[in-house]
Amino acid sequence: MSGRHRILITGASGLFGANALFEGRKSHELLGLYRSHPISVEGTLCRNLDLSEIKKTTALLRELAPEVVIHAAADSNIDHCESARAQAYKSNFEVTEGLVSACGELGIKLVYFSTDAFFEKKDYLFKESDKPTPMNYYGELKAWSERLVQERLKDSIVVRTNFFGWNAQNKQSLAEWVIARCLSGEEFPMFDDVWFTPILANQLARIIFELIQIDFKGIIHVAGSQPLTKYQFGLRVAEKFKLSSQGLKKSVVSDVRLAARRSQAMALDSSRLQKLLPQVNLSLEAGLEEMKQLWVQGYVKQLKAAAGQGLDFLTELP
């Protein structure tokens, strides 16, 4: 599928979607769908749509005729999914099921965003062949959706990942949350017994566009190359942005009462990706350095302006 493609992204104003619109608008014809939070990125076409309205979704896909759909929209609040299961089922499974049907009917390639949050075994880098063992309802829905996508759309891509970066909306990714807490000077805890392999949203977007170009099919882990704990990640973010980490304190999952059980082992083995795209630098240092340069270059102001937002707490960031 080399060349310029017509690609539709769901969750267009989310952390991945907004950055993907900026990253891919010069190389591809990008279409974005949002529900509650409008966004307008020059060089792209963004439309409002409630994906749970399956007939309207199918009709719009037929009208816009994308070659590829990147389904990044989801309810990723794990505790909310646990306590509001009917709503979570609709948002995270029924919507995916509707898109799978529409893509199958219209001959559209689907890129499905899965998760790294459905493994239980500790001290292990999970490979694509490892069977998910969900510990909460959110993980169950993602595992069900993975199977559905693979069974019904043989040329689909299932992306397992965990990403950070700059939000267009007035929200905070994990890295932004660390920056905000450091700027406030308040004490804040981060888990030192939860391991993951985060990647910058912008880099994630570029990699997915590359996977589309080479017509990859199947499950793939798009993640950082170095496992670390949430606490260690907080230290690295503070260091990169030259902020005091004095308020950052170690904690463990058992310190906190949560509605849903959490996986403490979310580290993904990205060796398959590294073989496919050996030129890509998946180190956390590369991701954090790019995140910093995006701030220095004024990218974040443009990103937030596209969603009608200001810099908020970031005005204090040097």
mmCIF file with all atom_site columns, all heavy atoms in Angstrom, residues 252-267:
data_model
loop_
_atom_site.group_PDB
_atom_site.id
_atom_site.type_symbol
_atom_site.label_atom_id
_atom_site.label_alt_id
_atom_site.label_comp_id
_atom_site.label_asym_id
_atom_site.label_entity_id
_atom_site.label_seq_id
_atom_site.pdbx_PDB_ins_code
_atom_site.Cartn_x
_atom_site.Cartn_y
_atom_site.Cartn_z
_atom_site.occupancy
_atom_site.B_iso_or_equiv
_atom_site.pdbx_formal_charge
_atom_site.auth_seq_id
_atom_site.auth_comp_id
_atom_site.auth_asym_id
_atom_site.auth_atom_id
_atom_site.pdbx_PDB_model_num
ATOM 1   N N   . VAL A 1 252 ? 3.244   1.832   45.786 1.00 0.00 ? 252 VAL A N   1
ATOM 2   C CA  . VAL A 1 252 ? 2.948   0.533   45.188 1.00 0.00 ? 252 VAL A CA  1
ATOM 3   C C   . VAL A 1 252 ? 1.444   0.425   45.014 1.00 0.00 ? 252 VAL A C   1
ATOM 4   O O   . VAL A 1 252 ? 0.677   1.136   45.653 1.00 0.00 ? 252 VAL A O   1
ATOM 5   C CB  . VAL A 1 252 ? 3.484   -0.632  46.054 1.00 0.00 ? 252 VAL A CB  1
ATOM 6   C CG1 . VAL A 1 252 ? 5.006   -0.630  46.074 1.00 0.00 ? 252 VAL A CG1 1
ATOM 7   C CG2 . VAL A 1 252 ? 2.931   -0.564  47.469 1.00 0.00 ? 252 VAL A CG2 1
ATOM 8   N N   . VAL A 1 253 ? 1.039   -0.465  44.122 1.00 0.00 ? 253 VAL A N   1
ATOM 9   C CA  . VAL A 1 253 ? -0.380  -0.592  43.790 1.00 0.00 ? 253 VAL A CA  1
ATOM 10  C C   . VAL A 1 253 ? -1.228  -0.870  45.019 1.00 0.00 ? 253 VAL A C   1
ATOM 11  O O   . VAL A 1 253 ? -2.345  -0.354  45.162 1.00 0.00 ? 253 VAL A O   1
ATOM 12  C CB  . VAL A 1 253 ? -0.579  -1.698  42.728 1.00 0.00 ? 253 VAL A CB  1
ATOM 13  C CG1 . VAL A 1 253 ? -2.059  -1.991  42.516 1.00 0.00 ? 253 VAL A CG1 1
ATOM 14  C CG2 . VAL A 1 253 ? 0.067   -1.291  41.411 1.00 0.00 ? 253 VAL A CG2 1
ATOM 15  N N   . SER A 1 254 ? -0.706  -1.663  45.942 1.00 0.00 ? 254 SER A N   1
ATOM 16  C CA  . SER A 1 254 ? -1.478  -2.023  47.137 1.00 0.00 ? 254 SER A CA  1
ATOM 17  C C   . SER A 1 254 ? -1.740  -0.832  48.059 1.00 0.00 ? 254 SER A C   1
ATOM 18  O O   . SER A 1 254 ? -2.571  -0.926  48.973 1.00 0.00 ? 254 SER A O   1
ATOM 19  C CB  . SER A 1 254 ? -0.759  -3.133  47.911 1.00 0.00 ? 254 SER A CB  1
ATOM 20  O OG  . SER A 1 254 ? 0.545   -2.719  48.293 1.00 0.00 ? 254 SER A OG  1
ATOM 21  N N   . ASP A 1 255 ? -1.055  0.305   47.815 1.00 0.00 ? 255 ASP A N   1
ATOM 22  C CA  . ASP A 1 255 ? -1.282  1.506   48.617 1.00 0.00 ? 255 ASP A CA  1
ATOM 23  C C   . ASP A 1 255 ? -2.620  2.171   48.290 1.00 0.00 ? 255 ASP A C   1
ATOM 24  O O   . ASP A 1 255 ? -3.114  2.992   49.072 1.00 0.00 ? 255 ASP A O   1
ATOM 25  C CB  . ASP A 1 255 ? -0.176  2.550   48.376 1.00 0.00 ? 255 ASP A CB  1
ATOM 26  C CG  . ASP A 1 255 ? 1.152   2.151   48.981 1.00 0.00 ? 255 ASP A CG  1
ATOM 27  O OD1 . ASP A 1 255 ? 1.149   1.286   49.874 1.00 0.00 ? 255 ASP A OD1 1
ATOM 28  O OD2 . ASP A 1 255 ? 2.186   2.707   48.560 1.00 0.00 ? 255 ASP A OD2 1
ATOM 29  N N   . VAL A 1 256 ? -3.176  1.851   47.128 1.00 0.00 ? 256 VAL A N   1
ATOM 30  C CA  . VAL A 1 256 ? -4.332  2.593   46.619 1.00 0.00 ? 256 VAL A CA  1
ATOM 31  C C   . VAL A 1 256 ? -5.521  1.655   46.425 1.00 0.00 ? 256 VAL A C   1
ATOM 32  O O   . VAL A 1 256 ? -5.376  0.543   45.916 1.00 0.00 ? 256 VAL A O   1
ATOM 33  C CB  . VAL A 1 256 ? -3.993  3.259   45.266 1.00 0.00 ? 256 VAL A CB  1
ATOM 34  C CG1 . VAL A 1 256 ? -5.160  4.120   44.789 1.00 0.00 ? 256 VAL A CG1 1
ATOM 35  C CG2 . VAL A 1 256 ? -2.729  4.099   45.384 1.00 0.00 ? 256 VAL A CG2 1
ATOM 36  N N   . ARG A 1 257 ? -6.704  2.132   46.818 1.00 0.00 ? 257 ARG A N   1
ATOM 37  C CA  . ARG A 1 257 ? -7.925  1.362   46.580 1.00 0.00 ? 257 ARG A CA  1
ATOM 38  C C   . ARG A 1 257 ? -8.500  1.786   45.231 1.00 0.00 ? 257 ARG A C   1
ATOM 39  O O   . ARG A 1 257 ? -8.879  2.938   45.037 1.00 0.00 ? 257 ARG A O   1
ATOM 40  C CB  . ARG A 1 257 ? -8.951  1.604   47.692 1.00 0.00 ? 257 ARG A CB  1
ATOM 41  C CG  . ARG A 1 257 ? -8.546  1.048   49.039 1.00 0.00 ? 257 ARG A CG  1
ATOM 42  C CD  . ARG A 1 257 ? -9.685  1.134   50.041 1.00 0.00 ? 257 ARG A CD  1
ATOM 43  N NE  . ARG A 1 257 ? -10.828 0.325   49.619 1.00 0.00 ? 257 ARG A NE  1
ATOM 44  C CZ  . ARG A 1 257 ? -11.973 0.254   50.303 1.00 0.00 ? 257 ARG A CZ  1
ATOM 45  N NH1 . ARG A 1 257 ? -12.136 0.959   51.413 1.00 0.00 ? 257 ARG A NH1 1
ATOM 46  N NH2 . ARG A 1 257 ? -12.963 -0.511  49.860 1.00 0.00 ? 257 ARG A NH2 1
ATOM 47  N N   . LEU A 1 258 ? -8.555  0.844   44.304 1.00 0.00 ? 258 LEU A N   1
ATOM 48  C CA  . LEU A 1 258 ? -9.041  1.119   42.956 1.00 0.00 ? 258 LEU A CA  1
ATOM 49  C C   . LEU A 1 258 ? -10.258 0.251   42.659 1.00 0.00 ? 258 LEU A C   1
ATOM 50  O O   . LEU A 1 258 ? -10.368 -0.876  43.149 1.00 0.00 ? 258 LEU A O   1
ATOM 51  C CB  . LEU A 1 258 ? -7.934  0.833   41.934 1.00 0.00 ? 258 LEU A CB  1
ATOM 52  C CG  . LEU A 1 258 ? -6.653  1.672   42.077 1.00 0.00 ? 258 LEU A CG  1
ATOM 53  C CD1 . LEU A 1 258 ? -5.529  1.057   41.256 1.00 0.00 ? 258 LEU A CD1 1
ATOM 54  C CD2 . LEU A 1 258 ? -6.906  3.109   41.650 1.00 0.00 ? 258 LEU A CD2 1
ATOM 55  N N   . ALA A 1 259 ? -11.153 0.773   41.823 1.00 0.00 ? 259 ALA A N   1
ATOM 56  C CA  . ALA A 1 259 ? -12.360 0.021   41.486 1.00 0.00 ? 259 ALA A CA  1
ATOM 57  C C   . ALA A 1 259 ? -12.037 -1.231  40.686 1.00 0.00 ? 259 ALA A C   1
ATOM 58  O O   . ALA A 1 259 ? -12.705 -2.254  40.824 1.00 0.00 ? 259 ALA A O   1
ATOM 59  C CB  . ALA A 1 259 ? -13.322 0.912   40.701 1.00 0.00 ? 259 ALA A CB  1
ATOM 60  N N   . ALA A 1 260 ? -11.006 -1.150  39.859 1.00 0.00 ? 260 ALA A N   1
ATOM 61  C CA  . ALA A 1 260 ? -10.624 -2.274  39.007 1.00 0.00 ? 260 ALA A CA  1
ATOM 62  C C   . ALA A 1 260 ? -9.208  -2.735  39.336 1.00 0.00 ? 260 ALA A C   1
ATOM 63  O O   . ALA A 1 260 ? -8.335  -1.914  39.638 1.00 0.00 ? 260 ALA A O   1
ATOM 64  C CB  . ALA A 1 260 ? -10.700 -1.875  37.535 1.00 0.00 ? 260 ALA A CB  1
ATOM 65  N N   . ARG A 1 261 ? -8.985  -4.034  39.278 1.00 0.00 ? 261 ARG A N   1
ATOM 66  C CA  . ARG A 1 261 ? -7.629  -4.557  39.440 1.00 0.00 ? 261 ARG A CA  1
ATOM 67  C C   . ARG A 1 261 ? -6.752  -4.045  38.310 1.00 0.00 ? 261 ARG A C   1
ATOM 68  O O   . ARG A 1 261 ? -7.214  -3.831  37.194 1.00 0.00 ? 261 ARG A O   1
ATOM 69  C CB  . ARG A 1 261 ? -7.632  -6.087  39.425 1.00 0.00 ? 261 ARG A CB  1
ATOM 70  C CG  . ARG A 1 261 ? -8.242  -6.745  40.641 1.00 0.00 ? 261 ARG A CG  1
ATOM 71  C CD  . ARG A 1 261 ? -8.164  -8.249  40.488 1.00 0.00 ? 261 ARG A CD  1
ATOM 72  N NE  . ARG A 1 261 ? -6.775  -8.718  40.505 1.00 0.00 ? 261 ARG A NE  1
ATOM 73  C CZ  . ARG A 1 261 ? -6.357  -9.860  39.941 1.00 0.00 ? 261 ARG A CZ  1
ATOM 74  N NH1 . ARG A 1 261 ? -7.214  -10.620 39.277 1.00 0.00 ? 261 ARG A NH1 1
ATOM 75  N NH2 . ARG A 1 261 ? -5.095  -10.209 40.011 1.00 0.00 ? 261 ARG A NH2 1
ATOM 76  N N   . ARG A 1 262 ? -5.496  -3.839  38.589 1.00 0.00 ? 262 ARG A N   1
ATOM 77  C CA  . ARG A 1 262 ? -4.558  -3.341  37.589 1.00 0.00 ? 262 ARG A CA  1
ATOM 78  C C   . ARG A 1 262 ? -3.468  -4.358  37.311 1.00 0.00 ? 262 ARG A C   1
ATOM 79  O O   . ARG A 1 262 ? -2.966  -5.007  38.220 1.00 0.00 ? 262 ARG A O   1
ATOM 80  C CB  . ARG A 1 262 ? -3.892  -2.037  38.063 1.00 0.00 ? 262 ARG A CB  1
ATOM 81  C CG  . ARG A 1 262 ? -4.792  -0.840  38.226 1.00 0.00 ? 262 ARG A CG  1
ATOM 82  C CD  . ARG A 1 262 ? -5.385  -0.400  36.897 1.00 0.00 ? 262 ARG A CD  1
ATOM 83  N NE  . ARG A 1 262 ? -5.816  0.978   36.921 1.00 0.00 ? 262 ARG A NE  1
ATOM 84  C CZ  . ARG A 1 262 ? -6.967  1.408   37.447 1.00 0.00 ? 262 ARG A CZ  1
ATOM 85  N NH1 . ARG A 1 262 ? -7.794  0.564   38.018 1.00 0.00 ? 262 ARG A NH1 1
ATOM 86  N NH2 . ARG A 1 262 ? -7.278  2.703   37.401 1.00 0.00 ? 262 ARG A NH2 1
ATOM 87  N N   . SER A 1 263 ? -3.090  -4.436  36.054 1.00 0.00 ? 263 SER A N   1
ATOM 88  C CA  . SER A 1 263 ? -1.922  -5.224  35.699 1.00 0.00 ? 263 SER A CA  1
ATOM 89  C C   . SER A 1 263 ? -0.674  -4.461  36.130 1.00 0.00 ? 263 SER A C   1
ATOM 90  O O   . SER A 1 263 ? -0.578  -3.248  35.940 1.00 0.00 ? 263 SER A O   1
ATOM 91  C CB  . SER A 1 263 ? -1.880  -5.467  34.192 1.00 0.00 ? 263 SER A CB  1
ATOM 92  O OG  . SER A 1 263 ? -0.665  -6.057  33.827 1.00 0.00 ? 263 SER A OG  1
ATOM 93  N N   . GLN A 1 264 ? 0.260   -5.170  36.730 1.00 0.00 ? 264 GLN A N   1
ATOM 94  C CA  . GLN A 1 264 ? 1.528   -4.538  37.095 1.00 0.00 ? 264 GLN A CA  1
ATOM 95  C C   . GLN A 1 264 ? 2.611   -4.860  36.071 1.00 0.00 ? 264 GLN A C   1
ATOM 96  O O   . GLN A 1 264 ? 3.718   -4.335  36.164 1.00 0.00 ? 264 GLN A O   1
ATOM 97  C CB  . GLN A 1 264 ? 1.955   -5.016  38.490 1.00 0.00 ? 264 GLN A CB  1
ATOM 98  C CG  . GLN A 1 264 ? 1.041   -4.510  39.601 1.00 0.00 ? 264 GLN A CG  1
ATOM 99  C CD  . GLN A 1 264 ? 1.356   -5.140  40.937 1.00 0.00 ? 264 GLN A CD  1
ATOM 100 O OE1 . GLN A 1 264 ? 0.581   -5.930  41.463 1.00 0.00 ? 264 GLN A OE1 1
ATOM 101 N NE2 . GLN A 1 264 ? 2.517   -4.817  41.492 1.00 0.00 ? 264 GLN A NE2 1
ATOM 102 N N   . ALA A 1 265 ? 2.268   -5.713  35.111 1.00 0.00 ? 265 ALA A N   1
ATOM 103 C CA  . ALA A 1 265 ? 3.220   -6.120  34.082 1.00 0.00 ? 265 ALA A CA  1
ATOM 104 C C   . ALA A 1 265 ? 2.663   -5.738  32.722 1.00 0.00 ? 265 ALA A C   1
ATOM 105 O O   . ALA A 1 265 ? 1.838   -6.445  32.156 1.00 0.00 ? 265 ALA A O   1
ATOM 106 C CB  . ALA A 1 265 ? 3.455   -7.623  34.164 1.00 0.00 ? 265 ALA A CB  1
ATOM 107 N N   . MET A 1 266 ? 3.087   -4.610  32.189 1.00 0.00 ? 266 MET A N   1
ATOM 108 C CA  . MET A 1 266 ? 2.566   -4.109  30.918 1.00 0.00 ? 266 MET A CA  1
ATOM 109 C C   . MET A 1 266 ? 3.681   -3.893  29.887 1.00 0.00 ? 266 MET A C   1
ATOM 110 O O   . MET A 1 266 ? 3.463   -3.259  28.861 1.00 0.00 ? 266 MET A O   1
ATOM 111 C CB  . MET A 1 266 ? 1.798   -2.807  31.135 1.00 0.00 ? 266 MET A CB  1
ATOM 112 C CG  . MET A 1 266 ? 0.651   -2.930  32.138 1.00 0.00 ? 266 MET A CG  1
ATOM 113 S SD  . MET A 1 266 ? -0.435  -1.490  32.163 1.00 0.00 ? 266 MET A SD  1
ATOM 114 C CE  . MET A 1 266 ? 0.702   -0.219  32.714 1.00 0.00 ? 266 MET A CE  1
ATOM 115 N N   . ALA A 1 267 ? 4.856   -4.415  30.172 1.00 0.00 ? 267 ALA A N   1
ATOM 116 C CA  . ALA A 1 267 ? 5.991   -4.206  29.272 1.00 0.00 ? 267 ALA A CA  1
ATOM 117 C C   . ALA A 1 267 ? 5.853   -5.073  28.027 1.00 0.00 ? 267 ALA A C   1
ATOM 118 O O   . ALA A 1 267 ? 5.659   -6.287  28.109 1.00 0.00 ? 267 ALA A O   1
ATOM 119 C CB  . ALA A 1 267 ? 7.302   -4.514  29.988 1.00 0.00 ? 267 ALA A CB  1
#
